[in-house]
């Protein structure tokens, strides 16, 4: 991959020329949300670029979609499908390359460059998609095993269905927020004395507020109701990927989840990173998923081994005092189920997925203590202190804590990453 002419693109930037992630920005000059891509510490404003007189010749696949980069979401662009995404991304890479074949458009056009290439700190990020539905899976093998062992013991850690199908539940799309949005501690019914019988809940702010380190996948091409998506075709229905933190109130969840599963313990907030890394950008980083010793049903058999990505993931906690600690370093290679398998299972009964639907991988953890992607695991169910900088400790999140998730793959100068997925915990609002 050639270098870029865009100034100040650090070799460690997750937004190299090899990436070109898409997002929705607003700027002082263009306050209405619209489409841009990230390059280094800059953004390329695609709404401004579309004012170039030869824009239709540059992007022939978009000729019948005037104003597509003026939209407030990426849904219309996503729905055009992967071949169009690939063509547009390739053209942008050429325009930003130091060896561009069209230097007159941006590289040598100082006027357009001044308007279209903006510092990231000068723009505001917005949710990249209009999200109609959200489904969260449980595909992280080590997380599923360790949490199961905490509550049921090692011999019964995994439920009998776990290796047969991608377990999932439907979440709440209305509370998905973009990185940087503060998260208010939720109220719910909780049990303060787990030894008491019978159980007597109280309504109070969650005392066991947690994170879940996940990867998210956005749907591009929908399927018709009653028409399942074949696992071998599922890649054609994927737009791209984000980092995802499915904030979890463990004490609320523990009391409410029987028999129908998570509800208020999960639906108060989910944070995603603002830049969508297109599916093609992650192709060079395919790797083998966790071995599944159970023979698969035919509809889940992809026919290939390298069906997930080896993204290096990390979680940092910053206390209200400003001390920061890296509490987790792991990898997305620890998934047992791939997103194509999740899509195939999701639609098996004929469920229609729509453009902009979001799928979460479930918590991603590795086999060692420092690779656990939730406080539930790190604190061994709330029984062990997690040591932090500044002589502080945590078992779960305190008010004022800020969580930052990052993910990246690739060599210096060619890194493909997501930027930050961050949120700070605010005090619960007193009930009336």
């Amino acid at each position: 991959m050639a270098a870029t002419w865009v100034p100040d693109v650090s070799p460690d930037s997750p937004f190299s020329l090899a990436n070109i992630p898409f997002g929705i920005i607003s700027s002082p000059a263009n306050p209405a949300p619209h489409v841009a891509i990230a390059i280094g510490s800059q953004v390329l404003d695609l709404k401004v670029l579309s004012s170039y007189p030869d824009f239709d010749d540059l992007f022939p696949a978009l000729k019948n979609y005037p104003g597509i980069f003026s939209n407030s979401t990426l849904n219309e662009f996503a729905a055009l499908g992967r071949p169009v995404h690939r063509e547009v991304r390739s053209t942008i890479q050429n325009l930003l390359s130091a060896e561009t074949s069209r230097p007159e458009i941006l590289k040598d056009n100082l006027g357009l460059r001044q308007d279209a290439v903006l510092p990231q700190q000068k723009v505001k990020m917005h949710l990249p998609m209009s999200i109609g539905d959200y489904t969260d899976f449980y595909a992280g093998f080590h997380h599923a095993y360790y949490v199961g062992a905490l509550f049921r013991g090692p011999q019964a850690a995994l439920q009998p269905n776990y290796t047969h199908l991608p377990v999932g539940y439907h979440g709440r799309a209305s509370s998905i927020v973009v990185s940087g949005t503060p998260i208010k501690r939720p109220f719910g019914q909780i049990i303060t004395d787990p030894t008491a019988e019978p159980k007597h809940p109280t309504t109070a702010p969650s005392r066991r507020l947690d994170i879940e380190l996940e990867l998210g996948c956005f749907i591009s091409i929908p399927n018709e109701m009653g028409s399942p998506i074949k696992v071998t075709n599922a890649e054609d229905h994927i737009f791209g990927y984000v980092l995802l933190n499915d904030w979890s109130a463990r004490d609320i969840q523990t009391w409410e989840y029987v028999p129908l599963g998570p509800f208020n313990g999960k639906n108060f907030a989910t944070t995603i990173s603002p830049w969508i890394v297109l599916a093609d950008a992650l192709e060079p980083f395919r790797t083998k998923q966790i071995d599944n010793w159970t023979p698969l049903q035919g509809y889940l058999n992809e026919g290939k081994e390298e069906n997930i990505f080896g993204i290096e993931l990390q979680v940092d906690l910053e206390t209200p005092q400003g001390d920061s600690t890296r509490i987790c370093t792991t990898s997305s290679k620890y998934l047992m189920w791939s997103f194509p398998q999740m899509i195939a299972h999701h639609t098996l009964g004929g469920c229609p997925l729509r453009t902009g639907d979001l799928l979460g991988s479930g918590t991603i953890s590795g086999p060692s203590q420092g690779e656990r992607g939730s406080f539930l695991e790190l604190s061994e169910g709330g029984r062990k202190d997690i040591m932090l900088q500044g002589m502080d400790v945590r078992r779960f999140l305190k008010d004022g804590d800020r969580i930052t998730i990052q993910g990246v793959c690739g060599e210096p100068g060619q890194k493909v990453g997501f930027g930050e997925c961050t949120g700070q915990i605010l005090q619960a609002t007193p009930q009336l």
Side-chain angles (χ1 to χ4, degrees):
M1 178 66 65
T4 178
W5 54 258
V6 178
D8 302 323
V9 178
S10 164
D12 292 325
S13 172
F15 305 130
S16 71
L17 194 63
N19 193 350
I20 312 297
F22 283 70
I24 297 294
I25 68 165
S26 56
S27 67
N30 285 281
H34 57 280
V35 181
I37 63 94
I39 178 72
S41 61
Q42 315 287 314
V43 303
L44 173 61
D45 188 321
L46 296 183
K47 178 182 178 181
V48 173
L49 180 64
S50 65
S51 67
Y52 183 76
D54 293 333
F55 179 80
D56 286 347
D57 294 332
L58 273 175
F59 297 96
L62 304 179
K63 185 172 292 187
N64 295 325
Y65 304 94
I68 194 169
F69 289 147
S70 298
N71 291 344
S72 61
T73 74
L74 286 162
N75 289 52
E76 184 181 10
F77 178 63
L80 298 181
R82 191 161 177 176
V84 172
H85 308 154
R86 181 178 298 126
E87 179 181 321
V88 170
R89 175 172 170 266
S90 177
T91 299
I92 293 172
Q93 285 175 317
N94 179 40
L95 291 177
L96 297 178
S97 170
E99 301 172 2
T100 176
S101 62
R102 301 293 302 273
E104 76 281 3
I105 296 174
L106 269 177
K107 183 181 179 183
D108 297 339
N109 187 340
L110 297 183
L112 185 57
R113 275 179 58 178
Q114 184 175 0
D115 293 338
V117 181
L118 308 170
Q120 284 194 34
Q121 66 265 30
K122 295 288 183 70
V123 304
K124 180 180 179 181
M125 302 304 302
H126 302 268
L127 269 180
M129 305 285 282
S130 176
I131 305 168
D133 280 299
Y134 165 48
T135 302
D136 196 31
F137 284 88
Y138 200 46
F141 171 80
H142 294 291
H143 172 74
Y145 177 84
Y146 191 74
V147 171
L150 278 175
F151 296 108
R152 296 184 296 275
Q155 299 306 314
L158 297 178
Q159 298 287 5
N161 65 352
Y162 187 79
T163 60
H164 290 269
L165 55 84
V167 175
Y169 75 96
H170 292 287
R172 182 70 181 175
S174 64
S175 54
I176 298 173
V177 296
V178 72
S179 176
T181 305
I183 306 301
K184 189 175 294 186
R185 183 178 297 272
F187 271 82
Q189 285 195 23
I190 61 176
I191 300 295
T192 56
D193 183 0
T195 64
E197 292 295 343
K199 303 296 185 188
H200 290 290
T202 185
T203 301
S206 171
R207 302 177 185 184
R208 294 164 67 92
L209 188 55
D210 201 353
I211 66 167
E212 290 192 341
L213 166 60
E214 302 191 28
L215 194 63
C217 168
F218 276 110
I219 297 298
S220 57
I221 304 296
N223 62 300
E224 293 184 2
M225 186 172 180
S227 298
I229 297 173
K230 293 182 178 180
V231 69
T232 51
N233 297 334
E235 294 280 359
D236 296 335
H237 296 261
I238 294 175
F239 178 43
Y241 299 87
V242 292
L243 300 177
L244 187 152
N245 183 356
D246 197 27
W247 306 90
S248 299
R250 300 298 184 186
D251 42 3
I252 298 173
Q253 181 181 356
T254 298
W255 176 239
E256 74 180 3
Y257 84 100
V258 178
L260 297 181
F263 189 50
N264 285 333
K266 295 278 194 176
N267 69 10
F268 60 95
T270 300
T271 300
I272 63 171
S273 52
W275 296 104
I276 298 179
V277 176
L278 297 190
D280 276 4
L282 289 174
E283 279 297 318
F285 309 106
R286 286 190 174 274
T287 190
K288 190 176 184 298
Q289 66 195 131
I290 290 280
D291 285 332
N292 189 339
W293 57 89
T294 301
L296 296 180
Q297 300 288 314
Y299 76 95
L300 291 171
N301 190 354
E302 293 182 78
K304 59 182 178 182
E305 290 189 346
E306 295 187 340
N307 54 356
I308 59 172
F309 305 110
I311 304 165
E312 298 306 311
L313 303 165
Q314 63 189 45
V315 182
D316 295 302
L317 185 153
E318 182 183 336
T319 67
Q321 292 74 36
D323 295 308
S324 183
T325 305
R326 182 148 300 159
I327 60 173
C328 171
T329 303
T330 188
S331 172
S332 61
K333 69 182 180 181
Y334 295 126
L335 293 174
M336 175 167 275
W337 299 100
S338 71
F339 279 104
Q341 288 173 320
M342 296 179 215
I343 290 170
H345 184 65
H346 201 314
T347 62
L348 176 64
C351 174
L353 296 180
R354 294 176 292 188
T355 302
D357 283 357
L358 178 64
L359 309 182
S361 64
T363 306
I364 301 173
S365 297
S368 67
Q369 172 70 24
E371 295 180 287
R372 296 172 182 173
S374 70
F375 282 89
L376 183 65
E377 300 164 85
L378 289 166
S379 69
E380 298 183 3
R383 295 187 293 269
K384 177 182 175 182
D385 287 337
I386 303 161
M387 301 303 298
L388 305 178
Q389 294 290 333
M391 299 298 290
D392 210 343
V393 296
R394 291 290 184 276
R395 296 188 181 187
F396 292 95
L397 289 166
K398 292 186 177 181
D399 293 344
D401 287 346
R402 183 187 303 276
I403 289 293
T404 300
I405 299 173
Q406 297 181 75
V408 70
C409 37
E411 300 298 321
Q414 300 184 36
K415 289 184 178 292
V416 173
F418 299 83
E420 295 185 344
C421 177
T422 184
Q424 185 176 28
I425 302 302
L426 302 184
Q427 184 178 8
T429 300
Q431 290 190 317
L432 298 178

